[in-house]
Amino acid sequence: MPTTPEMSMDMTDMSTVGDTGLLDTLQHEVAVFARRAEQTRLGGVGQVRNSMDRAAYLLLNRLDKEGPMGVKALAASMGIDSSTVTRQVAPLVDTGLVKRTSHPEDGRAVVLQLSPRGLSRLEEVRSSRRQLMAELTHDWAPEERETFTALLTRFNVALSARQGTQGVAGPESQPAS
């Protein structure tokens, strides 16, 4: 039997009646996580700590994973609007982390691509953040790290899907290396 979003919500509400305490704890822990992540930017350790904001990291990471692309394609792949990408990319171009080039097939169109300097900087930040994740989970079993990563990815995908159904796309939740 097909369900509408309203029916799904009703089913969700019914299935969570007994989980109120757990859901209260979950929403609180997500709020604390968001605050702490924003405060530290989960920037890593050492000299690289807090050295790249979230928007820059996500844009550089996307260009590294998907290759050169236009502003519209980059915006669509990240689930944000083109004006936001344009605004966020400007300082990355100014600092030489991203290059603007002509589209190979249509010289009038602009393509954004990660510069060698941008790739080097991204790798530096990734390494620092990887080290931070290792420190934070040093006493976790490998299976716990895998489970946490899988559940966090699933949570982010669900948030993204929910935003998509409300008119705001958000496929940002792709694992970073």
Side-chain angles (χ1 to χ4, degrees), residues 1 16 19 128 152 166 171:
M1 173 174 127
T16 60
D19 294 341
S128 177
L152 187 57
Q166 295 179 349

Side-chain angles (χ1 to χ4, degrees), residues 80-99:
I80 57 181
D81 61 70
S82 295
S83 64
T84 301
V85 168
T86 300
R87 188 178 66 253
Q88 292 175 348
V89 161
L92 300 176
V93 171
D94 291 344
T95 57
L97 301 178
V98 171
K99 295 189 309 186

